[in-house]
């Protein structure tokens, strides 16, 4: 059987080589995606091997990935989940656990967040009966500031939940210090920024909890998937319970009495000795992933440093090429940071002789994919009209992003030739419009 398995996997590797042959890059014909997975023969073999072993639920590969990923990001515990959005839900919901005592978040408590971002950073706040407090961002970095967050704190504020925008770190040291001074929880949405640093320290290591996504657009992919990481073992235990149906037991689903106390517990109003595998301490979910996904994740994890270097290299090549172009606000790294970039943002200035829509249409016609800076100002979306939230200050820059900002890709699947075609296309458009003015 071992020889047969080896032969099958050799065939899978050969198939990958054959499937990868095709035309090279053709400007104006080949799609330049803003994001995407970079998958090699090792990834295909890892998936095939897991399938041959019928690893259809969370098991050994999942636990191995959690251990290695936690070590890579400098956290004590990592818990895989089925998406980055679920990771955000678990992280925020964990802060409402009765096991936190007086520190737990309760309905009506406020959580400071950013108006210009992705909705699943904000949705868990509403889904837990909490109140989002929206703050504005800086144009160029597209992150909020510690000053804005500090100004938003009220006597009802209990937590901060903010994402690092497009891989660019927010002022993590300052915001973490503010959270500590005000006795607030900090949740870092690190979904776009794995491998980024601030003050020489990895993003995702400043908060009480951090979240990651493994959707194909992100730094590592499992197809779908996400992760919650923390250095706090108490919070990690709550996250695990919420992810695994809310159960109190910490044994793996296929394990029986590993703790040697399975029939020795008495919790709630249950009879003494009730099977601990079926005692529930939280109103939870089933948000686990599978070993198929984890097997792919382990293969991808081996390439993380290479992927991050490629993102930085592509961003810098594009930034240098379009430097000095009029009528465009170019992106800037947050001071004291080294971003592992998710995308390259461009904002059309108010005095431009063209609109964002016109520039985007030009690029899309050239097969250059673009994306908006996610939702723009979330408060302007129908989903949030009628919801209970508070706005601190004005959201003027969030409105600018809604009207005039988009981004193009820098992910590792893009070649120098592709990046150069993107930059030359932007320059062709801007130069042509400026000449007509």
């Amino acid at each position: 059987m071992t020889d047969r398995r080896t032969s099958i996997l050799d065939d899978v590797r050969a198939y990958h080589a054959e499937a990868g042959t095709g035309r090279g890059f053709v400007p104006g014909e080949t799609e330049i995606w803003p994001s995407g997975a970079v998958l090699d023969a090792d990834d295909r073999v890892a998936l095939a091997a897991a399938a041959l072993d019928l690893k259809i639920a969370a098991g050994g590969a999942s636990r191995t990935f959690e251990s290695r990923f936690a070590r890579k990001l400098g956290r004590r515990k990592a818990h895989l989940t089925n998406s980055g959005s679920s990771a955000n839900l678990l992280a925020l919901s964990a802060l409402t656990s009765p096991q936190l005592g007086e520190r737990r978040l309760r309905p009506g408590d406020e959580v400071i967040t950013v108006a210009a971002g992705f909705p699943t950073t904000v949705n868990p706040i509403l889904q837990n009966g909490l109140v989002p407090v929206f703050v504005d961002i800086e144009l160029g970095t597209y992150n909020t500031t510690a000053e804005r967050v500090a100004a938003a704190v009220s006597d009802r504020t209990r937590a901060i939940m903010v994402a690092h925008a497009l891989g660019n770190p927010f002022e993590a040291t300052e915001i973490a210090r503010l959270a500590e001074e005000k006795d607030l929880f900090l949740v870092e949405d690190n979904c776009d920024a794995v491998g980024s640093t601030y003050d020489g320290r990895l993003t995702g290591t400043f908060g009480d909890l951090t979240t990651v996504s493994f959707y194909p657009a992100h730094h590592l992919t499992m197809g779908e998937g996400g992760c919650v990481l923390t250095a706090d073992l108490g919070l990690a235990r709550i996250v695990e319970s919420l992810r695994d149906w809310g159960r109190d037991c910490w044994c793996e689903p296929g394990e029986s009495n590993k703790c040697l106390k399975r029939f020795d517990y008495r919790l709630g109003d249950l009879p003494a000795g009730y099977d601990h595998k079926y005692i529930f301490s939280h109103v939870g979910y089933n948000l686990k992933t599978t070993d198929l996904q984890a097997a792919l994740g382990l293969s991808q994890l081996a390439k993380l440093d290479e992927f991050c270097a490629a993102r930085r290299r592509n961003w810098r090549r594009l930034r240098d090429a379009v430097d000095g172009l009029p009528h465009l606000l170019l992106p800037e790294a947050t001071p004291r940071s080294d971003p592992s970039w998710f995308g390259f943002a461009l904002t059309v200035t108010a005095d431009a002789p063209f609109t964002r829509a016109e520039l985007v249409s030009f690029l899309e016609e050239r097969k250059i994919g673009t994306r908006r800076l996610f939702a723009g100002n979330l408060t302007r979306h129908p989903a949030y009209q009628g919801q209970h939230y508070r706005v601190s200050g004005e959201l003027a820059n969030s409105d600018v992003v809604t009207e005039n900002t988009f981004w193009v890709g820098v992910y590792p699947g893009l070649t120098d030739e592709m990046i150069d075609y993107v930059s030359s296309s932007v320059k062709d458009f801007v130069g042509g419009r400026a000449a007509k003015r």
Side-chain angles (χ1 to χ4, degrees):
M1 185 62 72
T2 300
D3 290 343
R4 179 62 178 142
R5 185 178 187 276
T6 300
S7 177
I8 291 171
L9 295 179
D10 287 342
D11 287 343
V12 169
R13 191 173 293 277
Y15 173 82
H16 182 88
E18 295 169 4
T21 58
R23 297 175 67 192
F25 173 64
V26 180
E29 294 184 20
T30 304
E31 294 276 1
I32 299 178
W33 295 103
S35 61
V38 177
L39 301 166
D40 63 14
D42 291 338
D43 297 320
R44 194 184 294 266
V45 169
L47 271 175
L52 287 174
D53 295 338
L54 291 178
K55 292 184 175 181
I56 59 174
S62 298
R63 301 296 84 78
T64 299
F65 181 90
E66 288 172 338
S67 176
R68 291 183 185 175
F69 195 57
R71 193 179 313 120
K72 183 71 174 177
L73 268 63
R75 301 287 82 183
R76 295 182 71 181
K77 294 292 286 186
H79 286 97
L80 279 174
T81 185
N82 59 357
S83 72
S85 300
S86 292
N88 280 341
L89 176 61
L90 287 170
L92 201 281
S93 298
L95 302 182
T96 71
S97 170
Q99 294 182 8
L100 296 177
E102 290 302 312
R103 287 207 74 197
R104 67 177 293 200
L105 273 59
R106 293 174 171 83
D109 287 342
E110 293 182 346
V111 181
I112 297 171
T113 190
V114 170
F118 200 76
T120 56
T121 307
V122 174
N123 291 350
I125 303 172
L126 293 167
Q127 289 159 345
N128 279 283
L130 306 166
V131 179
V133 178
F134 290 110
V135 295
D136 207 2
I137 60 167
E138 291 287 293
L139 297 176
T141 67
Y142 303 99
N143 282 301
T144 194
T145 61
E147 182 179 6
R148 284 189 173 91
V149 174
V153 175
S154 77
D155 58 1
R156 296 301 305 272
T157 304
R158 301 298 308 282
I160 303 164
M161 187 168 183
V162 185
H164 300 285
L166 293 179
N168 196 17
F170 58 74
E171 295 174 348
T173 301
E174 294 84 348
I175 290 177
R177 184 183 303 125
L178 173 68
E180 183 176 7
E181 291 171 353
K182 300 292 185 180
D183 194 26
L184 308 176
F185 288 109
L186 174 59
V187 179
E188 281 183 85
D189 183 332
N190 201 41
C191 290
D192 291 350
V194 173
S196 296
T197 63
Y198 186 80
D199 281 340
R201 178 175 165 184
L202 282 172
T203 57
T205 64
F206 293 86
D208 298 283
L209 294 154
T210 189
T211 60
V212 173
S213 173
F214 301 123
Y215 188 71
H218 292 285
H219 289 59
L220 302 175
T221 188
M222 296 183 183
E224 299 285 353
C227 198
V228 184
L229 301 100
T230 183
D232 185 318
L233 295 182
L235 287 175
R237 181 69 193 93
I238 294 168
V239 168
E240 182 178 24
S241 175
L242 285 166
R243 182 196 64 178
D244 296 3
W245 307 283
R247 67 182 187 150
D248 195 78
C249 181
W250 54 86
C251 295
E252 295 296 333
E255 296 175 345
S256 295
N257 203 27
K258 185 175 182 179
C259 62
L260 303 178
K261 294 178 64 176
R262 178 179 169 188
F263 300 106
D264 293 339
Y265 286 92
R266 182 168 188 174
L267 298 174
D269 292 328
L270 293 168
Y274 198 87
D275 189 343
H276 192 221
K277 291 178 74 68
Y278 291 96
I279 296 177
F280 298 90
S281 53
H282 291 94
V283 179
Y285 312 90
N286 178 7
L287 299 176
K288 298 189 302 299
T289 187
T290 71
D291 265 15
L292 279 168
Q293 292 163 280
L296 176 58
L298 283 167
S299 179
Q300 286 268 295
L301 183 56
K303 298 180 276 283
L304 177 58
D305 292 344
E306 174 188 339
F307 287 162
C308 292
R311 287 177 176 276
R312 291 182 169 99
R313 184 171 58 250
N314 286 343
W315 189 93
R316 175 48 57 190
R317 187 179 185 92
L318 184 52
R319 183 64 172 73
D320 289 344
V322 298
D323 189 39
L325 276 181
H327 312 305
L328 292 176
L329 176 65
L330 300 183
E332 297 288 350
T334 303
R336 310 199 318 271
S337 77
D338 183 14
S340 177
W341 294 97
F342 183 74
F344 187 95
L346 291 164
T347 297
V348 176
T349 60
D351 64 347
F354 54 86
T355 65
R356 173 203 51 78
E358 289 171 333
L359 174 52
V360 165
S361 178
F362 180 85
L363 295 175
E364 293 280 351
E365 287 174 1
R366 291 193 171 198
K367 304 297 184 182
I368 298 170
T370 65
R371 295 290 186 269
R372 304 303 298 268
L373 188 49
F374 308 124
N377 185 345
L378 279 164
T379 68
R380 296 172 62 175
H381 287 257
Y384 303 94
Q385 293 171 10
Q387 299 283 357
H388 182 38
Y389 61 82
R390 180 166 69 85
V391 174
S392 175
E394 298 182 347
L395 300 178
N397 290 339
S398 298
D399 286 332
V400 170
V401 163
T402 305
E403 303 292 341
N404 296 324
T405 302
F406 70 99
W407 58 273
V408 295
V410 294
Y411 78 103
L414 301 182
T415 64
D416 288 350
E417 190 177 10
M418 291 174 174
I419 294 293
D420 293 344
Y421 182 66
V422 173
S423 63
S424 65
S425 295
V426 172
K427 289 189 284 188
D428 287 348
F429 179 86
V430 173
R433 290 305 178 98
K436 293 178 181 179
R437 190 175 184 181

